[in-house]
Amino acid sequence: MSSFSTPAIILRRIDFGDYDLIVTFFTLNKGKISVIAKSAKKSKKRFAGILELFSILDVVCTISRGKGLPILQEATLTHAFSNIRSKITKTAYASYWAELINQWMEEGQKQVRLFQLFRHVLSELDLGHTSEEALSILFQIQFLTIAGLGPNLKQCSICQAEIENIKEARIKFDLSKGGIICDGCASEGLQNIFLSKGTIKHLLWIQTGNLTRAVRIKFASQALTESLEFLE
């Protein structure tokens, strides 16, 4: 039997039998893992009140070779983020981000940059200093980039004309190309999304920007609406 310890964020939890829980963690050291928390629903001392969605914990788990899921032995709460769970809109956004991570990640694949991103947006969501919509834009654009699916917003995907040299105020984004298309290269009949230059510049700034600075960006209403519709 071996053991490991790691910081972890709770992505989901489901009942298992009468007393146990299966908890899916996004961990700093081991990526996504699912563990069993024995007697978690019965014990009033061991895990009381800390195995809540989006909480950050320091966990200790043991692994028995060939005997199923790791077992959660210890858990210490470091960040509860109770404000998220107390408001339905905040809960909805955090659940959306958690589901994106859970669906995309493979078990046991370490993703330090994504862990730091998720922890950062959860912290800002809990504090309430930045709108939920702006945080969701930040999360989604950086998540796509980490996942290798980041949209090309810098230049035309066909002729490579830089965005500064594209004259149109509203620029087409071709989903099949994964990037913006200037009017000279656009084909008729394609399903295009249109983004204003201002929106594109906002997205470019937060796509590669420092998290602390990126979270301070102020979105105009048009840029906010366009960005959310585009990313989702």
Side-chain angles (χ1 to χ4, degrees):
M1 181 178 289
S2 61
S3 64
F4 63 88
S5 61
T6 179
I9 305 172
I10 298 180
L11 293 177
R12 62 166 52 182
R13 44 173 277 177
I14 59 174
D15 293 340
F16 186 72
D18 292 332
Y19 304 118
D20 302 340
L21 291 173
I22 293 179
V23 184
T24 300
F25 288 119
F26 181 11
T27 74
L28 177 62
N29 299 330
K30 290 184 173 292
K32 185 178 77 170
I33 60 170
S34 294
V35 306
I36 186 165
K38 292 185 174 294
S39 301
K41 293 189 290 182
K42 181 174 66 173
S43 174
K44 294 183 179 179
K45 295 182 179 179
R46 199 172 178 204
F47 303 122
I50 66 171
L51 296 181
E52 300 292 340
L53 289 177
F54 323 125
S55 295
I56 301 183
L57 311 168
D58 287 327
V59 300
V60 177
C61 302
T62 56
I63 304 172
S64 298
R65 189 179 299 275
K67 292 188 178 180
L69 295 174
I71 299 171
L72 182 64
Q73 298 290 356
E74 300 176 27
T76 303
L77 183 66
T78 59
H79 298 286
F81 296 145
S82 55
N83 288 334
I84 294 176
R85 294 186 300 275
S86 68
K87 296 181 180 179
I88 187 64
T89 303
K90 292 181 182 292
T91 301
Y93 274 104
S95 298
Y96 173 54
W97 305 334
E99 190 65 16
L100 285 176
I101 292 170
N102 187 55
Q103 291 293 330
W104 177 72
M105 286 190 71
E106 296 182 12
E107 291 274 342
Q109 298 298 310
K110 191 173 180 180
Q111 291 285 345
V112 173
R113 186 178 167 195
L114 182 55
F115 182 91
Q116 293 169 341
L117 171 63
F118 192 36
R119 179 175 59 190
H120 184 77
V121 292
L122 287 175
S123 177
E124 292 295 329
L125 185 66
D126 188 68
L127 288 172
H129 297 159
T130 307
S131 74
E132 292 92 346
E133 294 86 356
L135 286 173
S136 197
I137 291 168
L138 169 62
F139 174 80
Q140 289 178 94
I141 192 69
Q142 291 215 1
F143 169 75
L144 285 168
T145 302
I146 292 168
L149 301 169
N152 167 30
L153 300 170
K154 294 182 179 179
Q155 58 188 17
C156 174
S157 296
I158 297 176
C159 71
Q160 281 75 57
E162 297 292 329
I163 185 172
E164 298 296 343
N165 297 324
I166 298 175
K167 296 179 180 180
E168 296 78 33
R170 290 177 59 77
I171 301 172
K172 296 175 182 177
F173 186 94
D174 183 356
L175 290 172
S176 67
K177 301 288 185 185
I180 59 173
I181 303 288
C182 70
D183 264 10
C185 295
S187 301
E188 294 295 330
L190 289 178
Q191 283 191 326
N192 294 306
I193 297 170
F194 286 86
L195 297 171
S196 67
K197 269 192 175 180
T199 297
I200 292 173
K201 289 178 179 179
H202 276 66
L203 291 173
L204 278 171
W205 197 81
I206 64 174
Q207 186 175 22
T208 56
N210 173 277
L211 285 175
T212 302
R213 287 181 295 166
V215 81
R216 297 175 186 157
I217 193 169
K218 302 298 182 184
F219 281 88
S221 58
Q222 180 184 358
L224 198 69
T225 301
E226 283 186 355
S227 297
L228 284 173
E229 290 179 353
F230 165 63
L231 290 167
E232 292 171 5

